[in-house]
Each structure stands twice: as C-alpha cells, then as structure tokens.
Amino acid sequence: MKIGKKMEKSINSQIHAEFDSSYLYLSMAAWFEDADLPGCAHWMEKQAVEEWEHGMKFYKYLVSRGGRVVLEAIPVPQKEWKDATEVFEEVLAHEEKVTSLINSMAELAEKEKDYATRSMLNWFIDEQVEEEEHATEIYTKFKNSGGSPMACYMIDRELGSR
Ligand code: MG
C-alpha cells in the first residue's frame, strides 16, 4: 500500500533531521581534531556516518513505500564549543530531541493506521535508547573529570577505540 501524504511528509522531515545530525556531529569531530582530542574526533566522525546511514534508512524506506523523497537545505552547524563536556552535553540534548521526533512519528503512524511504518520505527526506537545511553555515559565521564587533563586524555583514548 502506497504511503499516505502525512506520513510521507513526516519521513521527509526525519530524513532532514538525520542528515542535520550527521552534519552537526561532523562539525563536532572537526572541533575535537582542532582541540587535539583525536579519540573524541574519531568517535564523533563514526557518529556522523551513523546518522547519515539513519537518513538513508528512512530514504530507502520511503522509496520502497512509493513515496517521494524531497531533500531540504541543511543549515550551517555550530562550530565552537567551550570544552568536551559541553560538546557531549549537547549530543545528549540533541539525541533526546531526536527521540521525541521518532516518538511523534510512531504516534502519527498509529493514528494513520500505517502499521508498516510503525513496525519500521521500532528499530529507531531501540536505537535511540542506545544513543542516549552512550551520550549520557560519555557526558558523565567528562563532567566528573572536572577538566583534569589526565582524565581527558584517558577518556579520549577510550573513545578512540570505538
Ligand atoms: Mg539518528
């Protein structure tokens, strides 16, 4: 069954949100490179690629349901942060925002009785639990380090092994 117009619009805006996340995380990766935290840069670069893949997952799904993918402009991402703690605090806030977008999509799918989309979204609902868990873990580590260079070095090394 061809996808409905409301759901199509919602998936298109989620494609945009995922690519927007990807661009933000790549900007964070570039900031970490510049701040001499290569492990964090590596982690963030991988995160950027993952978000791109999320966007493509929605893209392919919309095509498979006979929908029309329409891309929007991606705004210039933030490029400066105070420190690593602030970056990960923003990653967490960003992921919480994405979770609420995914939840709204699930609500719409239920309202529209679009059970195929509702089922597809389960993967993203589970994925968001992981994203928030990881972001919280890293944010907490940096926050507890109190900016100690040795602690930052250790966390950076750990993130480099992702
Ligand atoms: Mg995502």
Side-chain angles (χ1 to χ4, degrees):
M1 194 166 64
K2 196 175 178 229
I3 199 155
K5 282 291 155 200
K6 274 188 196 160
M7 207 67 244
E8 177 184 76
K9 193 166 173 254
S10 167
I11 292 172
N12 268 316
S13 62
Q14 194 57 33
I15 290 171
H16 180 260
E18 299 289 349
F19 289 157
D20 184 53
S21 301
S22 179
Y23 217 40
L24 172 66
Y25 292 159
L26 193 59
S27 186
M28 287 171 169
W31 183 85
F32 277 126
E33 295 281 5
D34 196 50
D36 291 322
L37 289 165
C40 291
H42 169 80
W43 191 95
M44 216 47 100
E45 196 183 316
K46 285 213 155 180
Q47 196 63 29
V49 171
E50 257 196 21
E51 299 306 339
W52 178 269
E53 286 166 359
H54 292 168
M56 286 311 295
K57 232 179 159 85
F58 280 116
Y59 176 110
K60 301 262 187 209
Y61 175 77
L62 189 50
V63 170
S64 76
R65 290 289 310 281
R68 171 72 161 99
V69 171
V70 179
L71 300 178
E72 305 276 348
I74 300 170
V76 174
Q78 186 177 339
K79 65 172 180 176
E80 299 293 349
W81 289 270
K82 190 166 61 99
D83 52 24
T85 310
E86 189 183 72
V87 177
F88 280 99
E89 188 179 10
E90 284 181 23
V91 169
L92 177 59
H94 190 79
E95 287 304 327
E96 284 171 349
K97 200 180 81 190
V98 171
T99 300
S100 69
L101 290 175
I102 301 277
N103 288 345
S104 300
M105 289 180 86
E107 269 173 50
L108 179 67
E110 281 168 19
K111 206 174 128 227
E112 297 285 302
K113 297 187 169 28
D114 184 343
Y115 299 111
T117 299
R118 181 62 192 84
S119 167
M120 177 275 292
L121 287 171
N122 279 336
W123 186 90
F124 283 95
I125 291 167
D126 295 343
E127 175 72 8
Q128 283 311 115
V129 174
E130 266 185 46
E131 299 280 30
E132 286 189 34
E133 187 189 5
H134 293 150
T136 303
E137 195 187 315
I138 302 166
Y139 166 58
T140 306
K141 274 183 189 165
F142 272 114
K143 202 175 64 172
N144 292 343
S145 78
S148 137
M150 191 57 197
C152 285
Y153 174 77
M154 297 299 284
I155 302 165
D156 187 68
R157 257 184 52 158
E158 198 189 319
L159 294 188
S161 68
R162 178 181 177 176

